[in-house]
Amino acid sequence: KTSFSLAAEAEAAEPSDNLNVFFVNSLSTMAILAYHLSYIGSLMVVTHSLHKYQTSTHPKTSGYYQYRLFWYGVFLFVAASTQVLLGMYLFLTLGSGPLDPPVHIANIYTIVYPEISFVVGSIQLLVAILAFCRCLDCRPSFVFSYSCAIMWIFMLVLQLMVQVCMDNSDNAGLSPMATAPTRACIYLSIALMPAFLDYKMSIQPDINNLIS
């Protein structure tokens, strides 16, 4: 099932279910925006960094990376919230996994076990909160980088491999496994870029130290 098939079923059932459909489709839209903005943004950040390096005009302070880390924390927080809420909603409405048929959300999530979505989303929420904390503390620390690495492992194994491999349905004539490499690239940007920006932020001097 996709978010749109859930909408069609609800409209055919009772008008009161339209609120639930609006809820699911809203989360789908938010997930698309969060993951794809982080993916496009990662390409822009890397391209901009290469340009600055070649022209020897790379940032001299941590504020440049600190500002961008905040926005990637926002993207991660939104993506995590959608996954937690979807996991809770599907668990309360459809029960525990495995769901038959699985639920496909905007070609971003394939949910066979709502419990897995809730767990992975909760880990993402913790890392997003930690990213906001790192924006306030530019001292060198590898804790956040390790946290992003652990989050990426959970996303790769549970969110991608387990959920997608357990799905045997045919979604719009395309097997979900065929989209797994593309999803992995999109997932990687939201997990890798915060760690990259945090590292770059920590090795740059703070603007207050330069002024003093």
Side-chain angles (χ1 to χ4, degrees), residues 111-192:
I111 302 178
V112 180
Y113 292 90
E115 304 93 322
I116 291 180
S117 296
F118 179 81
V119 170
V120 176
S122 299
I123 295 174
Q124 291 176 324
L125 273 178
L126 293 176
V127 176
I129 294 174
L130 186 58
F132 294 138
C133 295
R134 285 295 296 158
C135 290
L136 304 176
D137 184 8
C138 299
R139 292 175 296 180
S141 174
F142 292 102
V143 175
F144 182 70
S145 298
Y146 292 146
S147 301
C148 290
I150 294 173
M151 178 186 67
W152 167 241
I153 293 175
F154 273 89
M155 292 174 62
L156 185 64
V157 175
L158 296 180
Q159 182 177 342
L160 186 62
M161 293 182 178
V162 174
Q163 297 272 50
V164 173
C165 290
M166 292 292 293
D167 181 13
N168 296 321
S169 63
D170 188 17
N171 185 23
L174 182 64
S175 172
M177 290 187 181
T179 64
T182 301
R183 294 191 196 187
C185 294
I186 297 176
Y187 293 165
L188 179 62
S189 62
I190 207 169
L192 175 64

Side-chain angles (χ1 to χ4, degrees), residues 58-153:
H58 51 281
K60 301 297 190 299
T61 64
S62 61
Y64 172 85
Y65 300 103
Q66 190 174 3
Y67 173 77
R68 281 153 181 78
L69 177 60
F70 170 79
W71 280 108
Y72 271 89
V74 172
F75 295 152
L76 182 58
F77 186 86
V78 173
S81 300
T82 60
Q83 189 156 202
V84 168
L85 293 174
L86 284 170
M88 293 177 58
Y89 173 78
L90 293 176
F91 180 81
L92 294 176
T93 55
L94 302 179
S96 60
L99 300 180
D100 187 22
V103 177
H104 303 277
I105 302 295
N107 206 23
I108 293 292
Y109 301 131
T110 295
I111 302 178
V112 180
Y113 292 90
E115 304 93 322
I116 291 180
S117 296
F118 179 81
V119 170
V120 176
S122 299
I123 295 174
Q124 291 176 324
L125 273 178
L126 293 176
V127 176
I129 294 174
L130 186 58
F132 294 138
C133 295
R134 285 295 296 158
C135 290
L136 304 176
D137 184 8
C138 299
R139 292 175 296 180
S141 174
F142 292 102
V143 175
F144 182 70
S145 298
Y146 292 146
S147 301
C148 290
I150 294 173
M151 178 186 67
W152 167 241
I153 293 175

Side-chain angles (χ1 to χ4, degrees), residues 5-97:
S5 65
L6 291 175
E9 291 178 4
E11 290 177 356
E14 295 182 4
S16 60
D17 292 336
N18 288 337
L19 181 60
N20 295 333
V21 172
F22 176 78
F23 173 73
V24 173
N25 286 339
S26 297
L27 293 180
S28 302
T29 303
M30 293 170 62
I32 291 175
L33 290 175
Y35 278 100
H36 286 81
L37 284 177
S38 66
Y39 179 71
I40 296 173
S42 65
L43 298 178
M44 295 177 61
V45 168
V46 173
T47 303
H48 186 259
S49 298
L50 289 174
H51 172 72
K52 291 295 184 181
Y53 175 78
Q54 292 176 344
T55 57
S56 300
T57 57
H58 51 281
K60 301 297 190 299
T61 64
S62 61
Y64 172 85
Y65 300 103
Q66 190 174 3
Y67 173 77
R68 281 153 181 78
L69 177 60
F70 170 79
W71 280 108
Y72 271 89
V74 172
F75 295 152
L76 182 58
F77 186 86
V78 173
S81 300
T82 60
Q83 189 156 202
V84 168
L85 293 174
L86 284 170
M88 293 177 58
Y89 173 78
L90 293 176
F91 180 81
L92 294 176
T93 55
L94 302 179
S96 60

Side-chain angles (χ1 to χ4, degrees), residues 61 205-212:
T61 64
D206 186 77
I207 183 63
N208 295 324
N209 296 333
L210 293 180
I211 295 177
S212 61

